[in-house]
Amino acid sequence: MRKLIIVISLFYAGALIGQQQLSLDDAIAIALDRSMSAKIAEKQIEIAENNNIKANTGTSPSLSLNASIPFSFNRTFGDRFFAFGVVPGDSRVNYNETEQLSINGDLPLYTGGRGSAIKEQLDLAVDQSHVTLSGEQQRTMLDIIQSYYNIVLQQERLEVLKELIQLSRDRIQFEEVRKEFGTSNSFNILQLEDALLNDSTDMVNQYTQIDLAMRGLLDDMNEDMAIDRYVVIDELEFAPDILDADMLIAEMMANNNDISALELNKKFAELNTKLQSAQRKPIISANGSFGFSRNASGFLGENPRTGMKDPIAPTRGYGLNLGVTASYNIFDGGIIKNNIANAKLEEEIADINYLDVKQDFEVQLLNLIDNYNNNIKLLGITEEKLDLANQNIKIAEERFRSGAINSFDYRNIQLTLLNTSFTRLSILYDLIVIKSNIDWLTGKYNVVD
């Protein structure tokens, strides 16, 4: 049985050989570089910047070149009508050709504020795409931090189990020696070996938990699922901070990505109202054109009266046209009025969403701060309990050797040490997770370009 445990330990230990060391910073760098959502957001930035041109505001001049060559063929019948009947006349095809080439230009002079409102919307679209990218990067960093330290937690739990197993092995060896001298028996050894098997089962399951945690990290990093490629090297350490709730709330309002996105939505809604209101104002533009034309028309075939072909007479010319166009909507059945009313309602909805999310985030932040402070207190208590558990296990070893306690009592003390160690590790991990959520809410993970 003990050989089996050694084989299991050597198997997993052998898997560590040749693994690449992975720090938290390395994992974050890889994840940010390979983030599919971030790459999509970067493409959206390019699209927004490409769209942010004056031509899309309706205020830039336009120039077009137009050309046309229409042909027409019409057969005419020169029938004559008399009282005694119809006398058929000549029947020929009338041909007409027109060649036109023109340059047309249009220059908006006044758009009633439509152009400036659209330009502000295009600017906001660029800002919004940058906010989206920042949000994806921050979420990636948060996921990596929590996934990474989940692996560290599982590895630390494994180390605790290994120490416990070593204690059990030492006790079994001691009991076997005592049995040889007649001061112990097979029953005590069997109880200790049963406890060792239970701990070994937990150790095998713990290796599985490490593998699962590693797959979670690799998934967040967009890596392949080769769980034996990396070994995390950071430790489950935590330095408690004193958190100022008012300062953190102010930082959240200034730096939180989701709040920034909602502020942009409010501005979008305000600009939409401005744009809809501008529909009540006239549009004035200057326009002009310069063109060339050629026309040729006549009858095809011979003239039945003369027996000769009539000539096709071409005409040519060019011209310049200049003017000013103004348009004003006098009545549209109330469409503009309705659009303005809806735009104002959208403004109110954006304000409500902003206030709702702001309040939710404040509650989340305050709850996280309370949990953080509470876990720090629990950590202090648990570390004191862990010191006592370590002292108890040392005393228990001496009393077990002297026969003052039996294997059952010793096992209970072992389990107390195990549970207390696991509790301490869980609190440390919870503190790291809570602090990472606080940092995310307050915008600490903003990536500087």
Side-chain angles (χ1 to χ4, degrees):
M1 181 268 295
R2 278 171 283 176
K3 291 182 180 179
L4 177 61
I5 297 172
I6 294 173
V7 169
I8 293 172
S9 300
L10 290 176
F11 173 78
Y12 285 102
L16 299 177
I17 299 175
Q19 285 183 314
Q20 181 179 342
Q21 292 187 339
L22 183 70
S23 67
L24 176 61
D25 291 339
D26 292 337
I28 290 175
I30 294 172
L32 289 177
D33 181 63
R34 298 186 178 183
S35 171
M36 295 297 105
S37 56
K39 292 183 186 299
I40 292 172
E42 288 172 353
K43 298 300 181 184
Q44 291 173 337
I45 290 176
E46 293 184 29
I47 292 173
E49 290 176 343
N50 290 338
N51 289 335
N52 191 17
I53 57 176
K54 187 177 181 181
N56 283 333
T57 66
T59 60
S60 62
S62 62
L63 195 65
S64 62
L65 177 65
N66 300 313
S68 64
I69 308 178
F71 298 90
S72 65
F73 300 88
N74 300 293
R75 180 176 291 277
T76 60
F77 298 91
D79 297 339
R80 297 181 181 182
F81 295 87
F82 297 94
F84 56 82
V86 179
V87 178
D90 62 312
S91 175
R92 289 190 293 170
V93 175
N94 181 278
Y95 168 78
N96 186 73
E97 170 193 344
T98 302
E99 300 169 3
Q100 295 177 331
L101 179 67
S102 65
I103 298 177
N104 302 299
D106 186 85
L107 175 64
L109 301 177
Y110 176 73
T111 62
R114 296 172 179 85
S116 61
I118 293 173
K119 183 61 172 68
E120 289 184 62
Q121 285 184 330
L122 293 174
D123 291 338
L124 283 179
V126 174
D127 293 339
Q128 191 176 51
S129 59
H130 280 284
V131 168
T132 300
L133 173 60
S134 178
E136 296 296 345
Q137 291 172 332
Q138 291 181 54
R139 173 57 66 179
T140 296
M141 292 178 67
L142 178 65
D143 292 341
I144 290 296
I145 290 171
Q146 296 184 1
S147 295
Y148 186 94
Y149 279 109
N150 184 31
I151 299 175
V152 179
L153 169 65
Q154 303 306 329
Q155 289 182 343
E156 294 281 356
R157 289 168 65 97
L158 177 63
E159 293 303 316
V160 172
L161 285 170
K162 286 181 177 179
E163 292 178 5
L164 189 67
I165 287 174
Q166 187 58 49
L167 286 175
S168 297
R169 287 176 182 164
D170 293 342
R171 299 293 73 74
I172 291 174
Q173 292 176 357
F174 178 74
E175 281 298 295
E176 288 176 343
V177 172
R178 291 184 60 191
K179 180 183 177 183
E180 292 178 2
F181 288 95
T183 57
S184 183
N185 53 60
S186 298
F187 178 77
N188 288 337
I189 295 176
L190 287 174
Q191 297 304 312
L192 291 172
E193 288 183 342
D194 181 67
L196 179 59
L197 282 173
N198 289 332
D199 294 338
S200 301
T201 301
D202 292 339
M203 184 179 71
V204 173
N205 291 332
Q206 192 59 39
Y207 277 113
T208 301
Q209 294 302 314
I210 294 174
D211 291 346
L212 294 175
M214 178 58 76
R215 287 194 183 95
L217 177 63
L218 293 174
D219 184 38
D220 291 335
M221 292 168 58
N222 283 309
E223 275 273 23
D224 58 72
M225 292 294 107
I227 59 175
D228 57 347
R229 179 177 180 180
Y230 294 109
V231 56
V232 299
I233 58 175
D234 289 10
E235 297 181 354
L236 199 65
E237 297 177 343
F238 184 79
D241 294 329
I242 298 176
L243 303 182
D244 186 324
D246 293 335
M247 184 181 69
L248 290 174
I249 289 175
E251 290 179 359
M252 180 183 70
M253 296 305 301
N255 303 321
N256 181 270
N257 189 78
D258 288 352
I259 291 178
S260 297
L262 289 172
E263 289 174 342
L264 288 177
N265 287 340
K266 288 176 59 178
K267 292 180 181 179
F268 263 114
E270 292 169 1
L271 285 173
N272 187 48
T273 301
K274 180 180 178 181
L275 185 60
Q276 296 302 327
S277 299
Q279 303 302 318
R280 287 177 168 171
K281 299 179 181 180
I283 296 177
I284 302 174
S285 62
N287 47 71
S289 65
F290 180 79
F292 298 88
S293 64
R294 175 184 178 277
N295 180 264
S297 62
F299 288 96
L300 302 178
E302 295 182 352
N303 188 325
R305 295 180 181 179
T306 64
M308 300 176 64
K309 292 183 179 181
D310 292 330
I312 296 177
T315 59
R316 298 180 180 88
Y318 61 87
L320 174 66
N321 297 306
L322 297 174
V324 176
T325 303
S327 64
Y328 180 74
N329 192 337
I330 296 176
F331 179 72
D332 63 355
I335 294 176
I336 293 178
K337 180 181 179 181
N338 186 67
N339 290 342
I340 293 173
N342 288 338
K344 290 181 178 178
L345 290 174
E346 292 292 340
E347 276 192 71
E348 295 178 12
I349 292 172
D351 287 335
I352 293 171
N353 285 335
Y354 173 79
L355 294 174
D356 183 44
V357 172
K358 173 187 171 184
Q359 182 177 6
D360 287 345
F361 278 10
E362 286 183 3
V363 171
Q364 288 182 38
L365 182 57
L366 292 173
N367 287 341
L368 287 169
I369 293 172
D370 287 343
N371 288 336
Y372 180 88
N373 293 329
N374 184 59
N375 274 275
I376 288 178
K377 295 176 182 177
L378 290 176
L379 180 62
I381 295 172
T382 304
E383 287 181 339
E384 290 183 7
K385 291 177 64 177
L386 184 59
D387 288 339
L388 291 175
N390 282 318
Q391 293 178 27
N392 283 338
I393 200 69
K394 291 179 181 178
I395 295 173
E397 285 186 44
E398 296 176 0
R399 300 189 65 186
F400 183 73
R401 289 176 180 274
S402 64
I405 60 174
N406 57 34
S407 58
F408 294 102
D409 295 329
Y410 183 79
R411 180 59 177 172
N412 288 334
I413 296 172
Q414 265 190 325
L415 291 176
T416 300
L417 176 61
L418 175 67
N419 293 333
T420 306
S421 298
F422 277 5
T423 300
R424 175 182 172 275
L425 293 174
S426 295
I427 294 174
L428 282 173
Y429 176 72
D430 289 343
L431 280 168
I432 291 174
V433 170
I434 293 170
K435 187 58 167 60
S436 66
N437 285 325
I438 292 175
D439 290 342
W440 176 78
L441 277 175
T442 54
K444 295 291 195 313
Y445 298 145
N446 283 332
V447 178
V448 180
D449 295 330

